[in-house]
Amino acid sequence: MVAWSDQERSIITSIFSNLDYNDVGPKALIRCLIVYPWTQRYFASFGNLYNADAIKTNPNIQAHGTKVLHGLDRAVKNMDDIKTTYAELSVLHSEKLHVDPDNFKLLADCLTIVIAAKMGSGFTPEIQATFQKFLAVVVSALGKQYH
Amino acid sequence: MSLTAKDKETVKAFWAKVAPKAEDIGQDALSRMLAVYPQTKTYFSHWKDMSAGSAPVKKHGATVMGGVADAVTKIDDLTSGLLSLSELHAFTLRVDPANFKILAHNILVVFAIKFPTDFTPEVHVSVDKFLAALARALSEKYR
C-alpha cells in the first residue's frame, strides 16, 4: 500500500480540481502520439493520424483523451487503493486492448509536460515530485494484472 | 531513431529562443531532478547544499547547459564532437547512463514551463530525440 502525506493528497486533489479534463486529456494524448509515434499502433481504428495536424484535429483522439483523464480521476478519488480501483482497467488494457505497459509511462510523461506548461512556475519541484509519484502508482496499478 | 534534417533545424531554432535563459533552465532542471528522483543525489554527496537555488546547483546547472549548447553546435556529429565529455563521464564521473534520461526529462519539463507556446509537440519530439542522441554520444566511451 502506498503512503500519502496530507500534503501530497492536497497537492493531487488541487491539481486535478483545477484541470479542464476536455483540454488537458486530449493535449496529453496528442503529444504522446506525436512524440512517441509507435503509440499510434493502438489507434488504428481512429481514422486519420497521418501527421501532427491530423492527430490534433481528430475527434476520436479528442474524445479518448478526455476519457483517459476521467479514468485518472478515479485514482484521485481512491488514492488509498489505486491498485484495487484499477484492477479491471488493468485486465482491460492487458487482455482486450493488448497495450504494452511501457506505454503507460510515455503517456504519463506527456501528461506531466502538459500540466507543467499549464501551471508554469506553480509547478514547483515539490509539486512535480508528488505528481510523478501519483502517476507512478497509477502506471504500476495499470500493469498489475498483466501475465 | 537518428536526427533528420528537420529535427536539427527545429532544435537549432528552439535553442536560439531558449539560450538566453540557459543557466536558469539548467538550475531548475537539476533542482527538479534532485527533488523528483532522489537517487540522483548520490552523485552530489560532496556538495554542502543540494537545495534548489543553492550555489552548487546553480553552478552545475550552468555547466550542464553549457554542454548542451556545445552539443547543439555539434549536432551533425555528436559522437566525435562530445568525445572528451564522454571520456569524462565514463572514466571519471561514472554516472550511470540511465540518469541521462532522467535529466533530459526534467529539462523538457522546464522547457514546457518557460516556453509553453513554443514547446509544441513537434518541437518536443525533435528536442527529445536530440537529448537522446546526446545521451548516446555521452555513453559512447563507457564500455
Side-chain angles (χ1 to χ4, degrees), chain A residues 117-128:
Chain A
K118 184 181 175 296
M119 290 178 65
S121 51
F123 194 61
T124 63
E126 294 67 39
I127 289 178
Q128 182 185 343

Side-chain angles (χ1 to χ4, degrees), chain A residues 54-112:
Chain A
I55 294 170
K56 287 176 187 175
T57 54
N58 184 309
N60 292 318
I61 294 295
Q62 189 78 27
H64 197 70
T66 304
K67 196 175 189 180
V68 167
L69 253 286
H70 281 289
L72 273 176
D73 188 72
R74 288 172 54 192
V76 176
K77 299 197 155 60
N78 293 282
M79 279 176 73
D80 284 314
D81 201 356
I82 294 175
K83 194 164 74 169
T84 308
T85 306
Y86 271 19
E88 253 180 65
L89 263 178
S90 180
V91 170
L92 174 78
H93 283 76
S94 165
E95 295 181 12
K96 181 151 180 275
L97 304 175
H98 308 293
V99 177
D100 181 341
D102 284 350
N103 292 291
F104 302 146
K105 188 171 187 300
L106 300 181
L107 181 55
D109 283 348
C110 285
L111 182 59
T112 302

Side-chain angles (χ1 to χ4, degrees), chain B residues 13-105:
Chain B
F14 185 68
W15 185 257
K17 287 198 180 106
V18 313
K21 296 202 171 143
E23 287 187 10
D24 277 344
I25 292 168
Q27 176 188 357
D28 198 356
L30 206 60
S31 303
R32 284 169 192 280
M33 184 185 81
L34 297 169
V36 181
Y37 303 87
Q39 70 271 24
T40 58
K41 292 195 289 189
T42 54
Y43 290 97
F44 304 104
S45 52
H46 56 286
W47 285 355
K48 286 199 180 78
D49 187 356
M50 277 193 249
S51 58
S54 68
V57 171
K58 231 173 162 173
K59 179 162 182 276
H60 197 63
T63 303
V64 167
M65 290 312 270
V68 175
D70 187 42
V72 175
T73 67
K74 296 168 175 168
I75 202 167
D76 288 318
D77 191 354
L78 288 170
T79 310
S80 40
L82 299 181
L83 203 61
S84 48
L85 262 180
S86 180
E87 285 172 351
L88 175 73
H89 284 76
F91 306 132
T92 309
L93 303 176
R94 288 180 287 199
V95 174
D96 188 320
N99 294 292
F100 300 149
K101 219 173 177 181
I102 291 176
L103 181 55
H105 168 73

Side-chain angles (χ1 to χ4, degrees), chain A residues 31 34-36 38 52 56 109 112-113 116-117 120-121 123-125 128-129 132, chain B residues 1 31-32 35-37 105-106 108-109 112-113 116 119-122 124-125 128:
Chain A
R31 193 167 280 257
I34 292 172
V35 177
Y36 308 107
W38 54 94
K56 287 176 187 175
D109 283 348
T112 302
I113 300 255
S121 51
F123 194 61
T124 63
Q128 182 185 343
Q132 291 200 211
Chain B
M1 293 197 269
S31 303
R32 284 169 192 280
V36 181
Y37 303 87
H105 168 73
N106 286 291
L108 296 178
V109 168
I113 288 172
F119 196 61
T120 61
E122 293 90 323
H124 178 165
V125 61
D128 191 31

